[in-house]
Amino acid sequence: MKKIAVLSGDGVGPEVTTAAVSVLKALTGDIDMISADCGYECYKRTGESLPVSTLEIIDECDAVLMGGITIPTDDRSFRNPITEIERRMRLELNIRRIESIIPELSSIDIDATFIRNASDDVNVTEINDIDSVDVTRSYLYSEMDRTFIASREYAERNDSKTILFAHEGDPASEMESMSIESFHRCMVGTSMSSDDVSIPELASRILTKPNTIDTVISYNPFSDVLSEMVAKLTGGTYLVPCATINRTRGLFRPLHGSNPDLAGYNATNPTASLRCAAMMLDFLGYKDEGNKLWEAIRSAYKRGFRTPDVGGGTGTYGFIEQIVKICENPN
């Protein structure tokens, strides 16, 4: 039996994670879901954003399903639990899947997955004066290979047809040349079509030929900027699931934040959390159940069930009721 740690988080987090849990219970009865505490509200109560008791639960689980976390800007002692959990679980890839599930709200027609290294952050070094910085990246050659191989395996498991590596396009960069060489070497033998493109070229393709984009590997800040841009073009972050995984374990959370001002109004869109649950089911080996949930979400939108943020009048819990009904009777 698979075990999932459910961390509701802050703000609207409890609403959307409760929604996802109710659907998971309707889809499968052999997943053990264990609730645990973390986040800013936990920090205010206990002095810890991620208690030891929560870490012990996470250590026993195959996956973590998480809500949004409020990050205070005026308290430097607050630790971001997401970062801590990713390190604790030794997660490797950050994945965002973005799909045009509401055509009339989408500026582009796309179904794409954006992947980057989970620990990928730029190093910024100040030079010359306060307005001049040098942005550099430093990776072990073996780490490049691990990222590309893990990305290839994920894409193949999810039936991707094409995979792109998006880079800065600097011909003078030795690091960039090494990355491109590593990517092509790691793609040898795959049945997917593979290529490398510059960030500007990829941005142009997204806007002009979005249905040709499938799986994209890049690094920060470009991967997050591009994926958030595409999210805005397809209806917003409340539709987008995010996962951080290694080969056996994963953390699944919506792309949107905690938005505490919306909590308690039964108006929050739970789609991102539901799609997180679908990604998690796929990842844990419940592919049929995951596909059923993906299709139920698409079907609900086609039937006109929508929360206020996407032009409808269905509440959070009403939307969940419809998803459960469709899962039980797809026709």
Side-chain angles (χ1 to χ4, degrees), residues 59-167:
D59 287 345
E60 298 175 359
C61 291
D62 303 285
V64 175
L65 181 65
M66 196 172 194
I69 299 295
T70 298
I71 308 295
T73 57
D74 57 352
D75 190 341
R76 293 187 178 182
S77 63
F78 180 85
R79 293 185 308 153
N80 186 342
I82 296 172
T83 303
E84 295 294 325
I85 292 169
E86 289 176 344
R87 290 172 180 167
R88 180 85 171 196
M89 296 177 74
R90 299 183 179 179
L91 305 180
E92 300 172 343
L93 299 181
N94 180 272
I95 298 164
R96 298 174 176 186
R97 181 173 174 183
I98 306 174
E99 179 184 355
S100 305
I101 57 176
I102 312 176
E104 59 269 36
L105 293 183
S106 300
S107 302
I108 56 176
D109 179 17
I110 194 169
D111 184 354
T113 299
F114 291 83
I115 303 177
R116 65 169 172 83
N117 188 300
S119 61
D120 181 15
D121 290 304
V122 295
N123 303 309
V124 181
T125 305
E126 187 174 309
I127 58 173
N128 297 330
D129 56 57
I130 196 168
D131 296 321
S132 179
V133 295
D134 181 26
V135 180
T136 61
R137 289 181 182 81
S138 56
Y139 300 126
L140 294 173
Y141 202 48
S142 58
E143 185 177 348
M144 294 181 195
D145 282 7
R146 282 198 301 271
T147 298
F148 290 131
I149 290 171
S151 299
R152 167 185 166 169
E153 291 174 352
Y154 180 85
E156 288 175 335
R157 285 198 307 271
N158 287 274
D159 302 320
S160 294
K161 300 296 186 294
T162 65
I163 188 166
L164 299 174
F165 170 47
H167 51 80

Side-chain angles (χ1 to χ4, degrees), residues 237-241 253-256 269-277:
T237 56
Y238 277 84
L239 305 177
V240 180
R253 61 186 179 86
L255 185 57
H256 64 78
N269 191 336
T271 300
S273 286
L274 292 173
R275 299 182 84 214
C276 284

